[in-house]
Amino acid sequence: MLDRFNRNITYLRISVTDRCNLRCVYCMPAEGIELMDHQDILSFDEIVEVCKTAVSLGVNKVRLTGGEPLVRKGIVELVRMIANIDGIRDLSLTTNGILLSKYADELKKAGLMRINISLDTLDPDEYSRITRGGDIKKVIQGIVAAQKAGLYPVKLNAVVFDKNDEATRESLQMFAKDMNLELRFITQMSLETGEFSVVEGGTGGDCKHCNRIRLTPDGYIKPCLFSNIGYNVRKLGAKEAILKAVENKPKVGVTCSNGNFYNIGG
Ligand code: SAM
Ligand code: SF4
């Protein structure tokens, strides 16, 4: 699918839930969020239908995200259903890693190919502060389990707060090297004010070469993280919603005031 600016749209990112078992300071308020109505959340069959339609239109890469994808009940089954769609060459998932040691093996067996784990620091207290209570030991166990299960590559996503925090960066770099992990730094962004940046060592944030569309848990296809535009797959049907999103994909992202990282997926 070519958009108006000749970008070939091949990548669908699916936020499978707005729920999360952490409350990262840059993502969610301490008191949590107003959750989407249960009946608005797409069923697995609906998500798979969107995927199949997207693949028939040229998508070949799918990532599951959230909220925290591993808190969605039956996530392994969803991975299996998506992995069985002919034409998906790359199926991955982004997680905070807290529940990963429990699921890594099953996810791999269900057809997940690779995984990104979010980890901003190696200091247990700082991790607990950033995530408002998260236990870093579980994330490390999750990383080890992912590698043991054969998910490859395992990538680390680290949000950088202060460009000058070299010590944190260096310790993450050393850890990544020791553990054979690919590390990407993401500068903290704000959807509302439109502060966004290119992901160091990754492909996000580069509008000129953006090949993405996104599906929200409640069924909107969004052409851009930094835009209020969204097309509802229940109202329009998956094909129409996808085509409209691609047709209206903005040249560059500006701002988004009707969504958040936790319900669009980052
Ligand atoms: N819960 C999963 C996780 O944390 O990996 C998946 C969803 S989370 C919204 C996806 C990514 O978005 C994470 O790597 C997270 O660090 C990033 N993220 C969340 N809020 C952000 C912000 N304000 N600026 C930059 N990245 C952000
Ligand atoms: Fe949850 Fe991920 Fe947002 Fe942290 S970044 S609150 S783990 S969705």
Side-chain angles (χ1 to χ4, degrees):
M1 275 179 289
L2 286 185
D3 75 356
R4 288 175 298 158
F5 307 100
N6 238 6
R7 294 171 297 196
N8 192 11
I9 309 305
T10 55
Y11 182 11
L12 173 65
R13 293 172 68 102
I14 304 174
S15 175
V16 298
T17 179
D18 57 342
R19 283 157 207 261
C20 188
N21 47 358
L22 296 179
R23 295 278 176 276
C24 301
V25 289
Y26 46 74
C27 184
M28 280 194 187
E31 66 278 12
I33 52 161
E34 198 182 316
L35 292 170
M36 289 172 178
D37 274 349
H38 197 68
Q39 75 247 28
D40 291 337
I41 304 286
L42 295 186
S43 67
F44 287 178
D45 285 339
E46 287 175 305
I47 293 174
V48 169
E49 177 60 30
V50 173
C51 278
K52 282 187 177 159
T53 308
V55 168
S56 76
L57 293 168
V59 163
N60 54 35
K61 176 171 172 179
V62 172
R63 174 176 298 277
L64 302 179
T65 173
E68 173 48 41
L70 300 187
V71 303
R72 174 112 190 217
K73 213 168 140 216
I75 186 69
V76 174
E77 191 46 36
L78 179 63
V79 166
R80 196 184 332 274
M81 289 163 86
I82 295 175
N84 278 334
I85 299 172
D86 259 351
I88 296 182
R89 282 197 230 129
D90 185 5
L91 177 57
S92 60
L93 180 144
T94 301
T95 172
N96 59 32
I98 294 286
L99 294 172
L100 189 55
S101 63
K102 183 171 163 201
Y103 286 119
D105 236 7
E106 287 179 73
L107 287 168
K108 171 71 184 168
K109 284 185 185 133
L112 189 73
M113 296 172 193
R114 59 196 186 88
I115 199 152
N116 285 30
I117 301 165
S118 302
L119 182 63
D120 306 333
T121 176
L122 289 170
D123 178 335
D125 294 335
E126 180 63 359
Y127 182 78
S128 173
R129 186 194 68 78
I130 295 170
T131 57
R132 297 200 183 91
D135 178 358
I136 198 169
K137 280 203 295 295
K138 295 194 175 143
V139 185
I140 309 284
Q141 284 163 4
I143 294 171
V144 173
Q147 290 185 313
K148 235 175 157 179
L151 291 163
Y152 184 82
V154 177
K155 294 190 186 177
L156 284 191
N157 289 359
V159 172
V160 204
F161 307 99
D162 180 350
K163 281 237 165 227
N164 303 325
D165 187 1
E166 274 304 320
T168 302
R169 280 180 170 243
E170 275 169 23
S171 61
L172 282 166
Q173 273 158 345
M174 272 165 59
F175 175 74
K177 199 165 169 237
D178 280 356
M179 299 279 291
N180 193 24
L181 308 162
E182 284 182 34
L183 172 64
R184 298 135 30 102
F185 290 112
I186 307 168
T187 307
Q188 188 178 343
M189 300 183 237
S190 161
L191 297 182
E192 277 207 329
T193 63
E195 280 168 58
F196 69 107
S197 60
V198 178
V199 173
E200 291 175 46
T203 53
D206 180 4
C207 299
K208 224 175 172 178
H209 301 110
C210 182
N211 60 353
R212 306 166 176 203
I213 49 175
R214 293 175 155 80
L215 175 64
T216 65
D218 55 349
Y220 286 85
I221 302 278
K222 288 190 69 77
C224 174
L225 183 56
F226 283 84
S227 150
N228 283 343
I229 309 173
Y231 298 95
N232 192 297
V233 298
R234 281 185 178 158
K235 285 199 191 118
L236 297 168
K239 186 171 181 187
E240 188 69 13
I242 293 170
L243 290 176
K244 276 205 147 54
V246 171
E247 199 179 300
N248 293 294
K249 190 170 164 71
K251 189 172 182 184
V252 292
V254 184
T255 56
C256 174
S257 54
N258 64 356
N260 292 286
F261 274 88
Y262 58 78
N263 56 30
I264 309 176

